[in-house]
Amino acid sequence: MSRYDVVVLGGGSAGVAAAVKAAQLGASVAVVNQGPLGGTCVNVGCVPSKFLIRAAQLKKEAENPFYKGFEAVVKVDIKALLSHMKDVVGNLRREKYDEVLRYYDVELIEGRGVLAGPHVVKVGEGVVEGDKIIVATGARPRLPDIPGLKEALERGLAYTNEEFFKLDNIPSSVVFIGGGAIAAELSQALARLGVDVSVIHRGRLLKYEEEVASEYLEEVLRDDGVKLIRGEASAVEVRGGEVVVRHSGGEVKAEAVFVATGRVPNVEPLGGLLKLAPHGGVEVNERMETSLPGVYAAGDVTGGLGGVRFLENAAARQGVVAAVNALGGRAVFNPAAVPRVVFTDPAVASVGLREEDMLKSGVGCRCRAAPIDAVAAGWTRGKTRGFIKINTYPETWKITAKRGRIAGALVVAPEAEELINVFALAVQMGLTVDDLVEWLPSFPSYGEAARLAALAFYTDPTKLSCCGG
């Protein structure tokens, strides 16, 4: 039996971040993990998906250039592309997870760990003890109870992200079930790579983002050839080497089904010792403490943000907060300041409060937006599609010094994944619209649009000269 200052159960983003932070603080640390390090994000999530998204974007831009005088026809070797994707995943996993844990002398114990008490993790026939334990067992794809889906999965004609990113080739036609981030991102990418794509979604796309973003993205995906079907999948039938997905408005035939209907926290290894929240994840406070003293939880096992958004950046930050507090420090996790990005083209990024939530709660919202075509950067790159919207607390406009404290923001624009960081910092630091008005971004850059969105509270941002206002 071995004993450590901190035992981390799980080797994904949250677990490794927790282990590294604990080691940096001088603790003896062990990570109990089954399977490849890195969890969902590195192996079968954000890293391989963004690789394919960027590749598909490059193909579209090369074949449809904005700049006159350019002409190209891109031939894609899908097998070579997927092989390269796996190489990138493997290299990143090795350098950012395996080698990092070795650098900090973190003990890696391979095997399925089960929480057996406030200081004990069972691994097979053995036991690992820790003064403090951090649970980071992640989440898995949610499989809806659709007749015929299980058979399609068993025959390799249906898959979740976990199976998809292990493929050596991509089917010529795919039907997605679900309307969240995974379906939106990969449906667009596959369509751009020449795959016939349909998406069956019950409500609006990205229903956890503001409605204006959903409407905008639906238009973008249709322009890329994605067939959007509003309805509910009711059955999956295997016909020879194909599948037929029935829905409330008819049926769709394809070579494969991609199930993207959400995620489920992996709470089974916790032995029923920790209290769960209504969304099914481990209940934690802002210090990542669980109902069992001395045991902390971080990452997807806590149910993500609000039980619906499972984000690598949030998971890693939670892991750091858990490690700091486990070793006697004082740190808190602020979900409102976590930037959320759907990596479509243009991307949909948000942070903080949505306008509809502010209105529903009675707080109210004073909101303004600026279009991307109001900045020169969009003109020089041929990418003028999109907007930036700022949500502020109405009562803060009564303050005379700095007015309009920023409650949240929505960016649907080129480089939205970078632009949203400005607003994440604003929410974190309590910045105001007036702070952004006084800010001077580089020129020409899309950052200018962030300032224009602030200026929109005072004037029409489309009626200003470059860098004006």
Side-chain angles (χ1 to χ4, degrees):
M1 177 165 46
S2 302
R3 189 173 185 92
Y4 302 84
D5 295 327
V6 176
V7 174
V8 180
L9 180 53
S13 298
V16 172
V20 168
K21 188 61 178 180
Q24 288 175 336
L25 294 173
S28 60
V29 185
V31 171
V32 178
N33 182 66
Q34 185 177 38
L37 286 171
T40 296
C41 180
V42 170
N43 296 294
V44 291
C46 46
V47 171
S49 67
K50 277 49 178 183
F51 179 96
L52 284 185
I53 289 165
R54 296 304 187 200
Q57 183 177 351
L58 177 62
K59 178 178 183 293
K60 178 170 182 177
E61 291 178 354
E63 293 182 335
N64 302 274
F66 164 68
Y67 303 98
K68 294 181 179 179
F70 285 78
E71 185 176 351
V73 176
V74 178
K75 295 182 179 180
V76 180
D77 184 334
I78 293 294
K79 290 185 178 181
L81 183 64
L82 294 179
S83 177
H84 184 195
M85 176 193 73
K86 293 172 185 176
D87 287 343
V88 169
V89 167
N91 291 336
L92 188 64
R93 180 175 60 239
R94 182 182 66 255
E95 292 189 16
K96 301 300 289 184
Y97 290 85
D98 297 272
E99 293 181 5
V100 167
L101 288 184
R102 282 196 292 271
Y103 177 82
Y104 286 102
D105 294 323
V106 173
E107 184 77 17
L108 179 59
I109 301 172
E110 297 186 5
R112 184 177 185 272
V114 177
L115 184 65
H119 304 289
V120 181
V121 173
K122 291 183 64 177
V123 188
E125 299 300 318
V127 171
V128 182
E129 290 189 343
D131 293 337
K132 298 293 171 62
I133 293 177
I134 300 174
V135 173
T137 49
R140 63 186 182 275
R142 182 189 302 275
L143 294 176
D145 186 18
I146 299 176
L149 179 59
K150 183 178 179 181
E151 179 189 355
L153 285 163
E154 292 172 347
R155 295 180 59 172
L157 298 175
Y159 30 72
T160 66
N161 61 296
E162 293 185 352
E163 294 83 22
F164 178 79
F165 289 116
K166 297 175 184 176
L167 297 176
D168 295 321
N169 206 348
I170 296 177
S172 62
S173 56
V174 176
V175 54
F176 286 80
I177 298 177
I182 294 175
E185 291 178 348
L186 289 179
S187 66
Q188 184 185 49
L190 294 185
R192 290 179 169 188
L193 290 172
V195 178
D196 184 6
V197 179
S198 300
V199 177
I200 300 174
H201 56 108
R202 290 188 298 180
R204 59 184 175 86
L205 292 180
L206 306 185
K207 63 181 180 180
Y208 301 114
E209 298 298 339
E210 292 197 16
E211 187 170 356
V212 64
S214 300
E215 295 172 351
Y216 195 94
L217 185 59
E218 288 183 12
E219 180 183 336
V220 168
L221 293 184
R222 288 193 182 96
D223 288 347
D224 274 314
V226 177
K227 303 178 188 69
L228 299 177
I229 302 169
R230 185 72 68 93
E232 184 171 2
S234 57
V236 176
E237 180 184 351
V238 176
R239 293 182 187 173
E242 293 184 320
V243 289
V244 176
V245 181
R246 297 195 186 92
H247 57 87
S248 48
E251 62 180 35
V252 183
K253 182 187 296 184
E255 286 191 10
V257 175
F258 194 122
V259 183
T261 52
R263 298 183 64 76
V264 180
N266 293 324
V267 298
E268 292 79 7
L270 309 184
L273 298 178
L274 305 181
K275 182 180 179 180
L276 303 183
H279 53 58
V282 176
E283 185 173 274
V284 293
N285 59 18
E286 62 180 9
R287 290 169 48 83
M288 310 315 297
E289 295 169 321
T290 71
S291 58
L292 190 61
V295 177
Y296 297 75
D300 291 355
V301 72
T302 67
L305 297 184
V308 294
R309 294 184 176 97
F310 294 83
L311 305 172
E312 194 274 347
N313 54 346
R317 178 59 185 165
Q318 288 179 337
V320 169
V321 170
V324 169
N325 292 323
L327 294 171
R330 297 190 62 82
V332 298
F333 173 69
N334 179 11
V338 177
R340 312 174 294 266
V341 184
V342 180
F343 285 82
T344 48
D345 181 23
V348 175
S350 60
V351 70
L353 299 177
R354 303 183 304 172
E355 178 181 358
E356 44 258 56
D357 294 331
M358 297 177 75
L359 295 175
K360 187 181 298 183
S361 68
V363 171
C365 181
R366 187 169 178 179
C367 315
R368 296 290 187 277
I372 292 300
D373 63 11
V375 297
W379 291 53
T380 62
R381 305 183 199 184
K383 293 186 175 183
T384 58
R385 198 171 191 178
F387 61 90
I388 295 179
K389 178 173 177 285
I390 300 176
N391 303 333
T392 69
Y393 296 102
E395 71 273 13
T396 62
W397 285 94
K398 301 173 184 177
I399 301 171
T400 57
K402 298 276 186 166
R403 299 189 298 169
R405 185 160 70 89
I406 296 171
L410 172 65
V411 182
V412 183
E415 301 183 15
E417 67 275 18
E418 303 293 345
L419 290 168
I420 197 62
N421 294 323
V422 173
F423 297 104
L425 183 63
V427 172
Q428 177 81 18
M429 303 303 294
L431 300 183
T432 67
V433 163
D434 286 352
D435 287 319
L436 290 189
V437 168
E438 295 173 6
W439 167 56
L440 186 61
S442 60
F443 178 85
S445 71
Y446 285 114
E448 188 187 359
R451 180 169 178 266
L452 286 181
L455 282 167
F457 286 86
Y458 295 105
T459 188
D460 183 347
T462 67
K463 300 297 187 288
L464 295 173
S465 63
C466 295
C467 299

